[in-house]
Amino acid sequence: MEKIVRRALLYDFYGELLTEHQKNIYSDYVLNDLSYTEIGVNEGISRQAVYELIKRCDGILEDYENKLKLVDKFLDTNERISRIHDLAEELMDNTTDDILKKKISEIEKISKDIYESY
């Protein structure tokens, strides 16, 4: 997975467990795409301090993920929901039975509801 996407997911799941200072800097870097220098100027700290804090936050968030696996479970669930949708679509295209089509539509609706609840 692309590093920036992984960082964003880790932040979404575990960001509230960081200190306020860590959250501000990490979100500026990951979500707002600011450079170390820009963040340093905004926060009144050195570029090197920003770099080290980002690296530390990466480690903290990865530790949470290694223990809780919430991001992995989220990604796995999304893949399964996508597979359900693909199978339902294939069945819908290959049947003329109205009762079966109604049940397939219900399956798609339930899988969409599960996806949106994340």
Side-chain angles (χ1 to χ4, degrees), residues 59-118:
I60 291 167
L61 297 176
E62 286 291 349
D63 282 346
Y64 285 129
E65 176 59 14
N66 289 335
K67 292 174 184 163
L68 300 172
K69 304 287 186 205
L70 297 177
V71 172
D72 287 344
K73 290 174 186 172
F74 171 76
L75 293 172
D76 182 59
T77 300
N78 282 345
E79 285 178 27
R80 289 174 184 220
I81 290 170
S82 179
R83 181 68 179 138
I84 290 169
H85 175 73
D86 291 345
L87 290 170
E89 193 173 87
E90 184 180 324
L91 286 171
M92 188 71 89
D93 291 344
N94 293 317
T95 189
T96 57
D97 184 327
D98 288 337
I99 294 171
L100 185 56
K101 283 187 174 193
K102 185 176 180 179
K103 291 191 182 289
I104 293 168
S105 292
E106 187 176 345
I107 289 169
E108 286 186 311
K109 182 187 179 318
I110 291 168
S111 68
K112 182 180 177 186
D113 290 346
I114 292 169
Y115 178 78
E116 289 175 354
S117 72
Y118 267 96

Side-chain angles (χ1 to χ4, degrees), residues 11 19-29 32 39 43:
Y11 183 77
T19 67
E20 205 59 41
H21 181 67
Q22 290 170 329
K23 282 194 295 190
N24 290 339
I25 290 175
Y26 201 78
S27 67
D28 276 348
Y29 182 71
N32 299 328
I39 296 168
E43 296 290 327

Side-chain angles (χ1 to χ4, degrees), residues 4-61:
I4 197 73
V5 172
R6 180 158 180 87
R7 281 177 164 159
L9 283 171
L10 290 171
Y11 183 77
D12 284 346
F13 278 89
Y14 307 112
E16 288 302 312
L17 300 172
L18 298 173
T19 67
E20 205 59 41
H21 181 67
Q22 290 170 329
K23 282 194 295 190
N24 290 339
I25 290 175
Y26 201 78
S27 67
D28 276 348
Y29 182 71
V30 172
L31 304 178
N32 299 328
D33 199 29
L34 297 181
S35 70
Y36 297 142
T37 303
E38 290 171 315
I39 296 168
V41 168
N42 292 345
E43 296 290 327
I45 58 176
S46 71
R47 180 190 181 287
Q48 182 65 31
V50 173
Y51 170 80
E52 289 172 7
L53 191 135
I54 303 272
K55 189 173 177 178
R56 191 172 335 118
C57 288
D58 281 338
I60 291 167
L61 297 176

